[in-house]
Amino acid sequence: MTEAKSGKMITVEQLYSAARRPRDQRATLVGLGLNKRHKRAILQDTPSIRGMIVKAKHLVRVIE
């Protein structure tokens, strides 16, 4: 495993629906554990999770 184990967690909330979005964006939301509006997921703060958030940044928000 190349990623450092940090105890930092982030909360991600889905703000907008994945309907009529490209398949890769819908798959990214599923990968983040989101599938409905206003649903929240608590995830480890890793570079791969940050990359997924960037890919769907117009659909989600990070709650600090």
Side-chain angles (χ1 to χ4, degrees), residues 8-15 28-45 49-50 52-53 59-64:
K8 188 170 181 185
M9 304 294 278
I10 56 174
T11 303
V12 182
E13 180 180 14
Q14 183 176 347
L15 297 177
T28 301
L29 289 175
V30 170
L32 289 170
L34 304 171
N35 61 356
K36 294 180 183 175
R37 290 179 55 212
H38 306 295
K39 187 168 181 180
R40 292 182 179 187
I42 300 172
L43 306 164
Q44 273 194 329
D45 191 8
I49 295 295
R50 286 289 179 172
M52 292 171 77
I53 291 170
L59 302 174
V60 300
R61 74 173 172 154
V62 176
I63 301 168
E64 297 297 330

